[in-house]
Amino acid sequence: MRVLSGTRPTGKLHLGNLLGAIDNFRKLQGEDAFFMIADWHALTTEYESHTQIADNVMEVVTDYLASGLDPAQCTIFIQSEVPEHVELAMIFSMITPLAWLERNPTYKDQLKELSGKELHTHGFLGYPVLQAADILLYKAEKVPVGEDQLPHLELAREVARRFHHLYGVEMFPEPAAIMTTTPKVLGTDGRKMSKSYNNCIYLADTAEEVIGKIKGMMTDPARKRRQDKGNPEVCPVYYHHKLFNPGNVETVAHECREALRGCVDCKMEMAAGMNRFLEPIRTRRNEWTNRKEDIRQILDQGCRKAREVAGQTLHEAMKAVGLRK
Ligand code: SF4
């Protein structure tokens, strides 16, 4: 089963990325799996602050490796080093009706969410066309994605169907989504963990940084004093107890409801669980940080392997549309 997915290099990876996506990648890596660092996609929104993209690529690869992705079991590569992505995207852009892109709900949501950036650009509107090329270039059958990416995957299927219909070929399998089983991860302010909200716990954070962030974390807003009974279900700290301190959640909930524990102690217990979870990742991350040449070799090898597959598909597509005999 061929699998393709990727990450936009907009900074270091956080716990939301790990539990929402990278863990899934790790489970799939025994398959014929390709994982890209989608730097073209980063440029669609970061074209004005582009100086960080290349550094962020290395951060993401380091986080991939620290999280347990094994280059012997999967192909890790940089999107812009496989030029076939933009070439196939160019072919797809010829056949994708503008209305398909304009009606895309993720596009509309992102325009609102990233309202501080000028995103009325050709590249940003065409993001799903490039994504369709990313997936179809590898003839991927399965694509691990978050819920917000489902409309893009549907568009990739529509592009494949239209291509087949227009050129009388059947060359792309219709890719199916693999949804993550982990619920969304909350940030320190109780909203979804996201770089744009500045509420993240990063894989690269030290144990002390994690403790500092958890100390400032939001709790049940109605619990103002130690003797007030709390409601753990509205508390993001409790939410994280379920993820990182699962053996003790019933006690935490009971003691919170009965005002038998204070929020400071509760946070420190959760932070200890989170640090236990993060420690092996942190250790591997520190090791990989000192192995930049090895990382470059992994990427070179990954890009070579990706280009072998991508080149073949692009050739077929060029023939189908009449650009090659
Ligand atoms: S005791 Fe724990 S679960 Fe309850 S409100 Fe405080 S931090 Fe949240």
Side-chain angles (χ1 to χ4, degrees), residues 210-211 214 244-245 266-278:
V210 169
I211 290 170
I214 303 297
F244 303 108
N245 188 25
C266 189
K267 285 175 173 180
M268 288 307 96
E269 184 182 330
M270 191 277 278
M274 192 180 270
N275 272 329
R276 269 194 305 278
F277 173 85
L278 282 171

Side-chain angles (χ1 to χ4, degrees), residues 217-221 223 229-239 241 252-253 255-257 259-267:
M217 200 164 171
M218 222 187 93
T219 60
D220 171 5
R223 194 176 185 214
K229 292 186 176 183
N231 176 6
E233 295 306 332
V234 300
C235 174
V237 178
Y238 178 66
Y239 186 92
H241 269 290
V252 172
E255 291 183 354
C256 172
R257 287 197 183 97
L260 298 173
R261 66 164 50 212
C263 290
V264 175
D265 293 342
C266 189
K267 285 175 173 180

Side-chain angles (χ1 to χ4, degrees), residues 4-64:
L4 180 283
S5 197
T7 306
R8 272 165 30 97
T10 52
K12 291 173 183 166
L13 299 186
H14 53 69
L15 273 173
N17 301 127
L18 178 72
L19 300 178
I22 313 302
D23 257 1
N24 233 344
F25 293 5
R26 203 167 38 73
K27 289 179 198 145
L28 290 163
Q29 64 180 342
E31 308 285 343
D32 186 9
F34 287 74
F35 299 121
M36 66 174 180
I37 319 298
D39 52 352
W40 279 118
H41 285 290
L43 201 59
T44 58
T45 56
E46 308 302 312
Y47 63 91
E48 286 179 298
S49 49
H50 55 279
T51 49
Q52 284 301 310
I53 294 179
D55 287 343
N56 287 342
V57 166
M58 290 308 279
E59 295 288 0
V60 172
V61 183
T62 309
D63 280 328
Y64 269 10

Side-chain angles (χ1 to χ4, degrees), residues 114-265:
L114 304 173
S115 55
K117 293 182 178 176
E118 174 45 56
L119 293 177
H120 291 92
T121 60
H122 178 195
F124 189 65
L125 181 67
Y127 187 116
V129 177
L130 178 58
Q131 203 169 0
D134 299 333
I135 297 164
L136 299 177
L137 197 51
Y138 298 91
K139 301 190 178 183
E141 295 152 281
K142 297 281 182 190
V143 183
V145 281
E147 212 169 316
D148 59 329
Q149 294 296 307
L150 285 178
H152 289 181
L153 195 57
E154 179 52 28
L155 193 121
R157 287 192 283 266
E158 285 177 320
V159 169
R161 276 179 226 135
R162 186 162 165 81
F163 189 94
H164 294 161
H165 173 73
L166 283 170
Y167 302 113
V169 289
E170 276 296 326
M171 58 179 282
F172 300 116
E174 289 202 7
I178 301 180
M179 300 300 294
T180 171
T181 49
T182 312
K184 77 176 172 197
V185 178
L186 301 182
T188 49
D189 59 359
R191 292 186 289 177
K192 181 184 168 192
M193 192 174 285
S194 163
K195 274 175 213 118
S196 34
Y197 297 147
N198 195 23
N199 64 0
C200 299
I201 307 282
Y202 292 98
L203 306 187
D205 283 348
T206 62
E208 293 70 31
E209 282 169 330
V210 169
I211 290 170
K213 287 180 181 182
I214 303 297
K215 268 187 190 160
M217 200 164 171
M218 222 187 93
T219 60
D220 171 5
R223 194 176 185 214
K224 302 233 180 318
R225 292 161 306 172
R226 172 74 171 73
Q227 59 270 37
D228 293 339
K229 292 186 176 183
N231 176 6
E233 295 306 332
V234 300
C235 174
V237 178
Y238 178 66
Y239 186 92
H240 284 96
H241 269 290
K242 290 194 239 176
L243 294 173
F244 303 108
N245 188 25
N248 207 25
V249 276
E250 281 172 28
T251 307
V252 172
H254 169 73
E255 291 183 354
C256 172
R257 287 197 183 97
E258 299 303 323
L260 298 173
R261 66 164 50 212
C263 290
V264 175
D265 293 342

Side-chain angles (χ1 to χ4, degrees), residues 62-136:
T62 309
D63 280 328
Y64 269 10
L65 295 165
S67 307
L69 286 195
D70 176 358
Q73 293 193 64
C74 64
T75 304
I76 301 172
F77 68 98
I78 300 175
Q79 185 190 28
S80 69
E81 293 186 18
V82 181
E84 287 84 356
H85 284 253
V86 279
E87 293 181 66
L88 189 62
M90 181 57 85
I91 293 176
F92 287 165
S93 72
M94 306 297 171
I95 67 166
T96 306
L98 212 46
W100 289 8
L101 302 174
E102 285 164 341
R103 74 172 185 219
N104 169 14
T106 308
Y107 171 67
K108 291 181 194 164
D109 288 350
Q110 289 242 298
L111 276 185
K112 268 189 228 145
E113 202 176 306
L114 304 173
S115 55
K117 293 182 178 176
E118 174 45 56
L119 293 177
H120 291 92
T121 60
H122 178 195
F124 189 65
L125 181 67
Y127 187 116
V129 177
L130 178 58
Q131 203 169 0
D134 299 333
I135 297 164
L136 299 177

